[in-house]
Amino acid sequence: MLTYQTETHARGREALLHEPAGGDPDKLTLVRALGSLVWDENGKEYIDCTAQAWSNNLGANDSRVIEAAIEQTRQITHARPTFHTPALLELAELLVSIAPEGLDRVGFTLHGSMAVEMALKLALRNRPDARHVAVLHDAYHGRSLTTMAASWPHPGNVFGILQPQFLRLPRPDLYRPRQGLSTGQDTELSLRLIRDILTKGTEGPVAALIYEPIQGNGGHNEFSARWHQGIREICDEYGIMLIIDEVQTGLGRTGRMWASDYYGIEPDVLVFGKGVGGGFPLAGVLAKKRFAKFLAGDDQLTFGQFPISIAAGLAAVKAIIADDLCSRAAEHGRYATERLLEMQKRHPLIGEVRSPGLMVSIELVRDRVTKEPARTEAHAVFELAQERGVILGESRYGCLGNLIKIKPPLDISREHLSTALDVLDEVLTLVENGTEAP
Ligand code: PMP
């Protein structure tokens, strides 16, 4: 690369607020992306098993999305939220038509965090006497001040004076159930504890309970059908709005359009984001008609209905449907899971293989009985794979930090998925043999 560029980039890296001084060696400078491939500034090609931020459900730079965004750019780039654009109305109609049963209203914004806040505002608008909003342990709902408070406790949190207190409810753990309990008993106990907290541990109404159908950043924690059904019953009994955060699981990731469809969950409100924009910032909320709408000023942001994102989103959702990416995700997911289960027989590091769809991950443990998280090993796997041209997802989740995620675009080719799994197999062997040096 040109020296002038190298020097400018080095100074730019220093200038960035979000960059550790000197730059993070794991951070690549990306210059191009297509489908499930990305290229760095040195021209090196990578298979991207992260879909960037689990958000390119449709592969990167899909020509249909790019053309729609260019066309919208030529027409009108910015419209105040008090006006509509044709694509806005078409996307509203389309999303409502594919939403889980009964969700027939939609609101847009640009970030998952702001969409979660929109859902929370809707809950409070509809329950003005509420005193609490509930979340689950190990949840992740974003990084705005409010959604950060709704997520797992942030290490060394200095933002507290500006953050609300959420009611944090226990959850079952299918991999590490509470001591002495089966997974079924752990689920029943968690549901009982939640009832106790709502009955005896809180004063005043709870406006909403928000949870992810599979906790994403919290460690790919899945729940049983009994749990989802039990939570629905509790919400009905206590008059609590059930908000399902599908920012990560929506738009085909689990092999169905929504994880709510996959698990048979009946949300009152569903939050979407990431994959909906086809690589452009877009998120929002689907809600039942029976809830009161927002009043003027409740939820207006300058770029909340950004026409280019909306046009890109309209093209992306149409493409996800036209290409039947839900089925593709389900098929790829079955293939990846089979291969990982076979690898688990040979690699003691693999504690558990998780799916469904292309929400695939493995939890690395030092011992399958104690399930001690293998954090440094997971990081070594991540780094060695990246050296070999495969970007794996890595969980830096506070408590565990030992998850390797494989969540590529849903239209990844079988060849690329297979190569990525070959590389994972190879680097697991290197890490297990203690011969990590490339
Ligand atoms: N909810 C969930 C479940 C998420 O995974 C994320 C992002 N990882 C968010 C909300 C926040 O989305 P954003 O980063 O777009 O604000």
Side-chain angles (χ1 to χ4, degrees), residues 205 207 232:
R232 180 68 266 180

Side-chain angles (χ1 to χ4, degrees), residues 10-33:
R11 283 198 300 274
R13 216 164 275 131
E14 284 297 322
L16 287 171
L17 262 181
H18 291 73
E19 202 87 22
D24 180 342
D26 291 343
K27 270 193 182 151
L28 303 172
T29 301
L30 300 180
V31 293
R32 198 162 80 84

